[in-house]
Each structure stands twice: as structure tokens, then as C-alpha cells.
């Protein structure tokens, strides 16, 4: 689609919506102004480096183990979503897309450059179920929490109450929405070494692949403008079935709309405004990406925030326009009870309960593994706490802890060397100070990357200790 065809494309989509989903479309200029106002506000948080920019950052997720078929394709390796902290219990969750190419491994999510990991390895049955739904939810551990954290803001109604867009609007309305995604940057940045194969033939996320996640998660997302509807009953759009309860449809374009292009410098960094169509296309790496909106309340706008997460998509041709029909699922409430209720509505309650049970086993084992705390935590992260008995998992964790302790000692010995004579006080003091740095760097590296090879850890610890 060229720029002339894109002109007014969102309006064209809205005209085409009526006969497709059986609704009378009602849009007005104020609704789009509310979306643009919200996007400007979010971008200003990012530009000013406000602590509230954590509201804007998306989570980039992957498994540390992947299938052979990924072939360094970011759309197979990465998914997006949100890292949430419950307001009542302080529990962390990754809520977002899940790839069918993730295998039995530890789930990793970066948001704002900071990392969270699952409580051990996740079994294939759970991963396959989440991939089937398009959205998953994982309890997460965060050894290092950012000093200031803001959950992503949720969409609010005209009364200022966190609400659901389908409860606010009648079933005969649609509103302007923005789909925020880091997938374009992931595609533009991705190297040819996102994964590697070990000697046993298993495929893993590489150090460079994890670096791509970290860097992209600290960047500003690309914004796709579109319109979202609130059907009262299930509808069929191509191969997508969209239910009228927890799901809703959203329609957008593969690229920036003319309306947002005219104000791009006010809502996105310049480099994103110039991204080509090869990067700005809705693809599998967009699964889990948040959809945000604000609605008109007379002459003012409601609270701008997340209304949904992408759980599926299909490209359609509507009245000569190439349109992407997205199935979106509403986000969970920010409480532990709300998360469980949300999972139940998605028929994911058994999977979430299994993960929560595994997390409890994980926490219990930390005091029973019997090694230094950082070794115990790192080894527990490598264990599947759900698909075997606690005793079997604990035995395996102790074995991995012994291996990690040996690895730690080898790193410290190789990178700090033998001590000089104590009688040479100056030289001994320099050696001792360097050894302390190596010890601190080695323990931090093993804690953050327990699944890395010795060769990878040598590079990380050497870089750390030289600073």
C-alpha cells in the first residue's frame, strides 16, 4: 500500500467494519484526539526519563531453550507482554505472548532493561497450552528489582475507575486505539546469532539474543493506530473467532497511519518514524503486545491505559485496503485474586495453579539445597519443579548446585590467579582487591545466567571485573 492509499485508511477501515462485524460504527474526532493526547503523554515520560516511564516499557520474553526450527527468526523466538506486580501481595507476573517454539526451559522477560525469570523450567504441556491460547501467565522472580516501579496504567472509564472498554461502550461503538510494539526494533536489530546449539544438539537463546531483548525492552515502542470494537456475541473474521466476553477485535494497518505520521515526532523517536514496511508489519513477535486507549468524556478524556493484549491476528483485504484483524484479550486486574479470576476466564486456571505450586516448591528448596544463597537460587532456576516429585527435583537441584559451585571456583581461580607472597603487601593488596571484584562478578553472573556455558561466563566476568 503506498502513501496515497494509506491516506484516510483508518477511516476506510471504520467504514468497512460495519458489514464485517455487524455493527453500526460511531466515531468522532474527539475520540482520536484522546488517543493522540495519551500517546503524547506517554512519549513525554520517556523523553524526560521520568520514573513513570516504566508504565510505557513493554516486556520482551523468550525461553532460554528453543526448538531447532527457530532459525534465528525473531518472530519465532520473541514475544511481548507486560511485567506486573500485584498491588496486594507484591507478586510478579509476566503476562503476554508465548511461542510454540519455546521448549522445556526457564522463561526470561526483560522490561525497561531489567530482568525477571520464571520459578524454574516450564514444562512443555503448559507452554503448548499457552501458545494455543496466544497468551500465557507466569509467576516470576526478580532478584534485582528496579528502585522505582510503576505497573502499566490500565484503561479507565469516564468516572476515573479502572474499567474494561467493553463495559464502558455500547456494543454499537468502536474507538481509536494504539497497539504498542517493540517487534519492529527487534526485527531491525536482530543478529544472525540469536541462538546456539550445544554439543548435545539442544538449542538455546544466545548471549547476543538476550542482549537484543534487554536493549529493545529499554527502547520506545512503535505505535500502530487502529480501531477496536466491543461485540456482544462471538464473531468470525477470516480464520479468527473472537468471543464477546474476555476478547475483543482490533483492526489496524501494517505500518504507521497517516494520522499518526503527521504527529510522529510527538509520539515516537525519529528512527521509528522512518521504519520501513519490512519491519512494521504485524507478525508473531507482536503476540502479547498491549493495546491502549482513552475515550472521550464530553470535552475531556478518560484515563489512558492498557485495554488489551494481542492474542491472534490475520491479514484481510477490506474494500481494497490491507487490514490486520487482531484478536485481543483484556489484561488481568492487578491483584492476586484478579489474576486468578482472569486465568479462569481464559480457561488457564489449571496451568496457573501448577505454576504457583511449582513456585512454592522453588522457594521451599532454597533453604534445603545447602549451598551459598546465590548458588542455591541459580540452581533452583534450572529445575522443573512441577513435572516430578519434590524429592527428585531437590536432588537434581543439589547436583546442579554442585556443578555451579565448581564452575564458580574455576572462574575465580582462573581470573584472579594465585596470590603473591603476603610479605609483598602492596602486590598482595592489589591481588586481594581484584579477587574480591572477580568473586562478586562471578557470583552475579552465575545468578543471572545460570544456564550459560563456562566460555560465556568468562567473558561476562572479565568485562565486569575490568570496570
Amino acid at each position: 500500500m503506498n502513501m496515497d492509499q494509506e491516506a484516510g485508511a483508518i477511516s476506510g477501515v471504520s467504514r468497512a467494519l460495519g458489514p464485517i462485524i455487524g455493527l453500526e460504527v460511531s466515531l468522532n474526532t474527539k475520540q482520536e484526539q484522546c488517543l493522540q493526547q495519551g500517546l503524547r503523554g506517554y512519549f513525554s515520560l520517556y523523553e524526560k526519563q521520568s520514573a513513570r516511564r516504566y508504565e510505557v516499557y513493554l516486556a520482551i520474553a523468550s525461553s532460554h531453550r528453543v526448538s531447532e526450527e527457530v532459525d534465528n527468526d525473531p518472530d519465532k523466538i520473541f514475544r511481548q507482554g507486560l511485567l506486573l506486580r500485584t498491588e496486594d501481595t507484591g507478586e510478579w507476573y509476566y503476562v503476554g505472548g508465548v511461542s510454540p517454539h519455546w521448549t522445556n526451559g526457564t522463561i526470561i522477560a526483560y522490561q525497561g532493561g531489567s530482568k525477571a525469570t520464571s520459578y524454574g523450567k516450564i514444562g512443555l504441556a503448559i507452554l503448548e497450552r499457552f501458545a494455543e491460547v496466544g497468551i500465557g501467565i507466569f509467576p516470576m522472580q526478580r532478584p534485582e528489582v528496579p528502585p522505582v516501579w510503576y505497573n502499566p496504567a490500565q484503561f479507565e472509564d469516564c468516572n476515573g475507575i479502572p474499567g474494561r472498554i467493553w463495559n464502558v461502550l455500547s456494543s454499537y461503538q468502536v474507538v481509536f486505539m494504539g497497539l504498542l510494539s517493540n517487534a519492529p526494533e527487534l526485527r531491525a536489530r536482530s543478529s544472525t546469532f540469536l541462538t546456539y546449539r550445544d554439543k548435545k544438539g539442544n538449542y538455546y537463546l544466545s548471549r547476543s539474543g538476550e542482549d537484543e531483548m534487554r536493549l529493545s525492552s529499554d527502547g520506545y515502542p512503535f505505535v500502530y493506530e487502529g480501531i477496536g470494537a466491543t461485540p456482544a456475541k462471538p464473531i468470525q473474521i477470516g480464520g479468527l473467532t473472537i468471543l464477546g466476553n474476555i476478547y475483543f477485535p482490533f483492526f489496524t494497518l501494517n505500518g504507521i497511519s497517516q494520522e499518526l505520521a503527521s504527529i510522529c515526532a510527538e509520539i515516537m523517536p525519529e528512527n521509528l518514524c522512518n521504519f520501513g514496511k519490512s519491519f512494521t508489519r504485524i507478525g508473531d513477535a507482536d503476540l502479547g503486545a498491549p493495546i491502549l486507549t482513552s475515550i472521550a468524556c464530553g470535552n475531556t478524556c478518560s484515563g489512558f491505559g492498557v485495554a488489551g493484549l494481542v492474542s491472534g491476528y490475520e491479514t484481510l483485504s477490506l474494500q481494497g485496503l490491507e487490514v490486520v484483524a487482531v484478536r485481543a484479550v483484556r489484561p488481568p486486574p492487578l491483584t492476586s485474586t484478579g489474576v486468578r479470576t482472569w486465568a479462569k476466564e481464559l480457561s488457564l486456571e489449571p496451568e496457573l495453579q501448577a505454576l504457583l505450586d511449582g513456585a512454592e516448591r522453588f522457594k521451599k528448596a532454597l533453604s534445603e539445597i545447602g549451598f551459598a544463597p546465590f548458588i542455591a537460587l541459580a540452581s533452583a532456576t534450572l529445575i522443573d519443579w512441577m513435572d516430578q516429585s519434590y524429592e527428585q527435583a531437590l536432588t537434581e537441584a543439589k547436583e546442579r548446585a554442585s556443578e555451579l559451585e565448581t564452575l564458580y571456583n574455576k572462574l575465580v581461580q582462573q581470573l584472579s590467579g594465585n596470590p603473591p607472597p603476603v610479605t609483598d603487601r602492596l602486590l598482595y593488596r592489589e591481588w586481594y582487591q581484584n579477587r574480591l571484584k572477580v568473586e562478586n562478578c562471578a557470583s552475579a553472573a552465575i545468578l543471572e545466567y545460570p544456564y550459560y556455558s563456562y566460555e560465556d561466563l568468562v567473558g561476562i566476568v572479565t568485562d565486569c571485573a575490568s570496570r
Side-chain angles (χ1 to χ4, degrees), residues 27 35 37 53 77 91 117 145-146 180 190 210 251 271 289 301 314 324 362 365 376 403 420 429 452 456:
L27 292 174
L35 171 63
Q37 176 180 305
R53 67 187 183 278
I77 299 170
E91 298 169 300
T117 56
V145 179
L180 276 60
S190 64
E210 197 161 338
F251 296 82
N271 66 302
C301 301
E314 182 175 346
V324 182
F362 178 104
E403 294 170 1
R429 184 169 57 188
Y452 274 20
D456 279 335

Side-chain angles (χ1 to χ4, degrees), residues 231-251:
K233 59 184 180 180
I235 60 174
Q236 187 75 27
I237 305 175
L240 284 176
T241 299
I242 300 178
L243 304 176
N245 180 16
I246 196 168
Y247 294 99
F248 66 92
F250 169 79
F251 296 82

Side-chain angles (χ1 to χ4, degrees), residues 361 364-365 368-369 379-380 382-401:
R361 290 182 170 191
K364 177 184 176 182
E368 299 181 13
I369 292 175
S379 64
L382 298 173
I383 306 304
D384 186 335
W385 296 96
M386 293 171 286
D387 291 342
Q388 57 184 330
S389 71
Y390 176 74
E391 290 72 22
Q392 290 173 319
L394 183 61
T395 298
E396 185 182 348
K398 290 179 178 180
E399 292 172 355
R400 297 306 297 268

Side-chain angles (χ1 to χ4, degrees), residues 133-442:
V133 174
I135 293 288
I137 180 167
F138 299 92
M140 304 292 277
Q141 53 159 330
R142 304 202 71 171
E144 293 185 10
V145 179
V148 180
W149 181 264
Y150 290 86
N151 279 318
Q154 291 192 317
F155 164 76
E156 295 182 351
D157 65 20
C158 290
N159 296 316
I161 300 171
R164 305 289 177 254
I165 200 159
W166 41 88
N167 292 334
V168 176
L169 302 172
S170 76
S171 60
Y172 295 97
Q173 286 184 307
V174 294
V175 296
F176 286 99
M177 295 178 164
L179 190 164
L180 276 60
S181 176
N182 284 109
E185 185 171 358
L186 283 168
R187 295 182 188 115
R189 293 176 51 87
S190 64
S191 72
T192 57
F193 303 104
L194 298 176
T195 62
Y196 71 92
R197 181 182 178 182
D198 70 3
K199 296 177 181 177
K200 297 179 181 179
N202 299 312
Y203 284 78
Y204 294 87
L205 184 70
S206 68
R207 182 181 176 185
S208 61
E210 197 161 338
D211 283 344
E212 296 296 343
M213 294 172 63
R214 177 177 54 82
L215 293 171
S216 294
S217 79
D218 200 24
Y220 200 80
F222 184 84
V223 183
Y224 298 88
E225 184 183 28
I227 49 178
T230 58
K233 59 184 180 180
I235 60 174
Q236 187 75 27
I237 305 175
L240 284 176
T241 299
I242 300 178
L243 304 176
N245 180 16
I246 196 168
Y247 294 99
F248 66 92
F250 169 79
F251 296 82
T252 187
L253 305 169
N254 278 322
I256 191 169
S257 68
Q258 185 188 35
E259 291 82 357
L260 292 192
S262 65
I263 61 165
C264 193
E266 303 170 40
I267 62 169
M268 283 189 280
E270 183 178 355
N271 66 302
L272 297 186
C273 296
N274 298 323
F275 264 169
K277 290 293 183 65
S278 61
F279 303 132
T280 59
R281 53 176 174 77
I282 302 297
D284 287 354
D286 295 286
L287 291 170
I291 298 171
L292 293 87
T293 194
S294 172
I295 60 172
C297 306
N299 292 322
T300 62
C301 301
S302 71
F304 184 72
V306 180
L309 303 170
V310 177
S311 62
Y313 68 95
E314 182 175 346
T315 302
L316 305 173
S317 178
L318 298 181
Q319 297 185 3
L321 297 173
E322 184 183 81
V323 178
V324 182
V326 169
R327 179 175 61 236
V329 58
R330 65 179 174 87
L334 299 176
T335 63
S336 55
T337 301
V339 164
R340 288 175 178 268
T341 301
W342 177 87
K344 186 176 182 179
E345 289 178 311
L346 279 172
S347 300
L348 296 177
E349 188 177 28
E351 288 76 18
L352 175 59
Q353 188 58 56
L355 290 167
L356 290 170
D357 291 344
E360 289 304 311
R361 290 182 170 191
F362 178 104
K363 295 171 187 176
K364 177 184 176 182
L366 295 181
S367 62
E368 299 181 13
I369 292 175
F371 287 76
F374 80 92
I375 293 287
L377 184 56
S379 64
T381 302
L382 298 173
I383 306 304
D384 186 335
W385 296 96
M386 293 171 286
D387 291 342
Q388 57 184 330
S389 71
Y390 176 74
E391 290 72 22
Q392 290 173 319
L394 183 61
T395 298
E396 185 182 348
K398 290 179 178 180
E399 292 172 355
R400 297 306 297 268
S402 179
E403 294 170 1
L404 290 175
E405 185 178 61
T406 300
L407 183 61
Y408 167 78
N409 291 332
K410 183 178 178 181
L411 284 167
V412 173
Q413 175 61 33
Q414 176 172 327
L415 297 180
S416 61
N418 294 321
V422 179
T423 52
D424 191 337
R425 294 184 179 180
L426 179 61
L427 191 60
Y428 186 85
R429 184 169 57 188
E430 290 178 352
W431 171 85
Y432 182 73
Q433 290 174 342
N434 179 63
R435 183 181 175 89
L436 287 178
K437 289 184 69 175
V438 170
E439 289 176 344
N440 290 334
C441 290

Side-chain angles (χ1 to χ4, degrees), residues 41-59 81-85 92 110-115 142 144-154 180 182 214 217-221 290 292 306 334:
Y42 259 33
F43 188 46
S44 70
L45 295 177
Y46 178 78
E47 283 190 306
K48 296 174 183 176
Q49 290 295 290
S50 163
R52 281 186 57 210
R53 67 187 183 278
Y54 281 103
E55 288 185 21
V56 183
Y57 289 132
L58 314 185
L82 301 171
L83 280 173
L84 307 175
R85 181 166 60 184
W92 291 94
Y110 281 89
Q111 185 162 315
S114 64
K115 183 178 182 179
R142 304 202 71 171
E144 293 185 10
V145 179
V148 180
W149 181 264
Y150 290 86
N151 279 318
Q154 291 192 317
L180 276 60
N182 284 109
R214 177 177 54 82
S217 79
D218 200 24
Y220 200 80
L292 293 87
V306 180
L334 299 176

